[in-house]
Amino acid sequence: MSQVDTNPVKEYLRMDRMPSIWCPGCGIGTSVNCFARALTQAKVDLKKTTVVSGIGCSGRVSGYLELDSFHTTHGRAIPFATGLKLANPELNVVVYSGEGDLAAIGGNHLIHAARRNIDLLVICVNNFTYGMTGGQVSPTSPGGATYSTAPYGQFETPFNLPHLADSCGAVYVARWTTFHVRQLTKSIREAFGKKGFRFIEVISPCPTLYQRRNKLGDGLDAMKFYKEASVLKNGADTRELDIGFQSPIIVGSFVNRDRPSFIEAMNKRFTSVFGESYKPYPEGPSKAVQGC
Amino acid sequence: MSETGGAKKPKKVQGIVHVDRERCKGCGFCVEFCPTRALDLDSTYNAKGYHPPVLARPDDCNGCDLCGLYCPDFSIHGVMIKTNVA
Ligand SMILES: Cc1ncc(C[n+]2csc(CCOP(=O)(O)OP(=O)(O)O)c2C)c(N)n1
Ligand code: SF4
Ligand code: SF4
Ligand code: SF4
């Protein structure tokens, strides 16, 4: 074993906490793998990078990353992260959590952080269910699928998360599945190179609850399904990104624009009102990384 | 994967994988998505009862580390060990 026998992602993870609590074939770990590699490739300053999660299986991510990280209460990752960013604009703040945490109980924080263009990178693991609590309906649960809280099939209209983030003003919006490891890594790298509210949805298998209840096989079956069912459409109109039960999944990078961040807008306003007497609040780096 | 065109040239890259058998949960992602199909799940078990991957066709591994990128449990990674490019 003379060659490099250390896993390249080891330095980004708290290996003493492994194995993770995630079930065999759960996709959350694959997304973390991509995230760790994006950190290396984008040469992000790890001392200035922090990860905030809410509650859920996906919310466990913050606890496994060897970074300053915070495991907040359910739904409150974005407000906590907003506070971190505003108190210390030098920080590169990432929110990593599930779609239940971010779009159900935390939904209001999500839309307002996007509207205000708070400088955060949000990685939302969408497994179409509340995994941690036993497979209940989540805001993205596709119509017709069954759940512990919808034994006769889910009948509500689900959120199309990229459309939600886009409509609220996010400056970067993308969706990938855990099958798209290279594209997801590149997308995270790209998002690190931007300032403002950035949102990446990662469609991920939950074999234990979503798939088992819906007879969709294991994690590998989900990955094979993503491979077959995904349609790449970079720049697609986000209104077209609905996901139905086992329907095609449109993936890609959809929105990439610039508009003033919350702090920039505040400085601009107060400078115009108070002139010289206003001391601008530090705006932080224009992007998290150099050269990307 | 080959860039050699017509004439057969010596293989450019050779890879090897490192597997942490005890951390593996046997999901099979690495085996399924290895571009050269160099891996198989072993017939033996680890302590938790999962079948970790083995490099069944070592000549086919190019060290691309795609297996490493797919692994949700950080228990495999590939590295290049030799380059024969003149
Ligand atoms: C205030 C509050 N309400 C409810 C819960 C129970 N709870 C824990 S995780 C969770 C949902 C998590 O779903 P998601 O964010 O999709 O994560 P997953 O487990 O699927 O990765 C719920 C409702 C809680 N912990 N706190
Ligand atoms: S319950 Fe689902 S989301 Fe949670 S760890 Fe298991 S497979 Fe992953
Ligand atoms: S390093 Fe690449 S070629 Fe070798 S086993 Fe892994 S995926 Fe296959
Ligand atoms: S991807 Fe990782 S956990 Fe899954 S079988 Fe391969 S080594 Fe084991």
Side-chain angles (χ1 to χ4, degrees):
Chain A
M1 291 280 156
S2 58
Q3 300 86 24
V4 196
D5 56 5
T6 332
N7 195 311
V9 294
K10 224 172 172 171
E11 58 178 302
Y12 301 98
L13 301 170
R14 300 185 200 199
M15 294 313 277
D16 54 319
R17 296 194 174 188
M18 300 292 161
S20 69
I21 55 132
W22 297 317
C23 308
C26 175
I28 300 170
T30 299
S31 79
V32 173
N33 216 321
C34 297
F35 179 73
R37 282 149 202 265
L39 285 176
T40 335
Q41 293 170 9
K43 300 194 177 63
V44 175
D45 182 352
L46 300 182
K47 292 232 156 28
K48 288 187 179 166
T49 303
T50 112
V51 174
V52 185
S53 294
I55 303 295
C57 300
S58 311
R60 289 297 185 113
V61 168
S62 57
Y64 292 125
L65 287 167
E66 183 72 290
L67 295 167
D68 280 346
S69 58
F70 301 85
H71 193 187
T72 67
T73 49
H74 194 28
R76 310 301 173 223
I78 287 179
F80 189 93
T82 301
L84 269 180
K85 183 69 198 179
L86 296 185
N88 187 354
E90 281 294 307
L91 290 180
N92 171 24
V93 185
V94 180
V95 170
Y96 210 131
S97 213
E99 90 285 3
D101 185 74
L102 288 165
I105 187 168
N108 235 29
H109 301 301
L110 175 73
I111 61 178
H112 291 287
R115 176 182 65 77
R116 303 199 290 174
N117 203 19
I118 307 283
D119 190 16
L120 301 175
L121 167 57
V122 177
I123 298 178
C124 176
V125 179
N126 178 5
N127 53 21
F128 306 112
T129 193
Y130 291 175
M132 179 155 277
T133 45
Q136 292 85 355
V137 167
S138 92
T140 59
S141 295
T146 54
Y147 290 89
S148 57
T149 50
Y152 305 109
Q154 200 288 106
F155 51 81
E156 301 167 16
T157 302
F159 267 150
N160 159 352
L161 292 176
H163 180 46
L164 181 68
D166 178 15
S167 322
C168 296
V171 294
Y172 183 90
V173 181
R175 171 197 280 157
W176 300 103
T177 76
T178 47
F179 165 71
H180 299 89
V181 284
R182 291 219 193 281
Q183 297 91 329
L184 173 60
T185 306
K186 179 165 175 274
S187 201
I188 297 172
R189 219 168 62 212
E190 219 167 73
F192 272 130
K194 279 190 76 74
K195 187 170 188 164
F197 192 87
R198 296 146 285 158
F199 185 87
I200 301 177
E201 177 184 25
V202 186
I203 308 291
S204 173
C206 171
T208 305
L209 292 153
Y210 175 63
Q211 272 146 255
R212 184 157 59 183
R213 193 176 293 271
N214 287 287
K215 301 190 171 53
L216 299 176
D218 61 13
L220 185 55
D221 291 312
M223 295 287 272
K224 290 182 189 163
F225 171 73
Y226 299 158
K227 185 177 173 187
E228 282 158 29
S230 298
V231 183
L232 176 67
K233 266 196 196 176
N234 283 317
D237 183 332
T238 57
R239 287 173 296 186
E240 294 167 7
L241 305 180
D242 287 339
I243 301 179
F245 183 61
Q246 294 297 88
S247 76
I249 301 171
I250 299 176
V251 296
S253 156
F254 311 118
V255 175
N256 193 341
R257 64 185 159 212
D258 290 303
R259 63 189 191 90
S261 71
F262 175 81
I263 298 178
E264 286 164 352
M266 179 179 77
N267 282 340
K268 187 165 175 248
R269 178 70 194 169
F270 289 171
T271 303
S272 79
V273 174
F274 301 110
E276 296 277 288
S277 63
Y278 176 69
K279 186 170 169 288
Y281 195 76
E283 290 179 2
S286 59
K287 53 188 182 178
V289 293
Q290 276 78 48
C292 97
Chain B
M1 277 286 165
S2 166
E3 296 162 19
T4 52
K8 239 191 163 182
K9 285 188 192 161
K11 198 164 171 265
K12 278 187 183 165
V13 277
Q14 178 61 53
I16 194 171
V17 294
H18 295 283
V19 181
D20 184 333
R21 283 178 54 97
E22 292 313 315
R23 214 184 303 131
C24 168
K25 294 176 189 163
C27 69
F29 292 3
C30 56
V31 174
E32 179 70 24
F33 299 117
C34 164
T36 66
R37 309 286 302 177
L39 301 166
D40 280 339
L41 288 184
D42 200 358
S43 55
T44 64
Y45 299 92
N46 66 13
K48 292 243 169 80
Y50 300 119
H51 295 284
V54 279
L55 192 53
R57 287 160 293 281
D59 287 350
D60 293 343
C61 176
N62 57 27
C64 68
D65 193 32
L66 202 59
C67 49
L69 191 47
Y70 272 106
C71 179
D73 285 284
F74 320 104
S75 44
I76 185 170
H77 70 283
V79 277
M80 288 178 198
I81 51 170
K82 194 163 65 187
T83 310
N84 289 338
V85 187

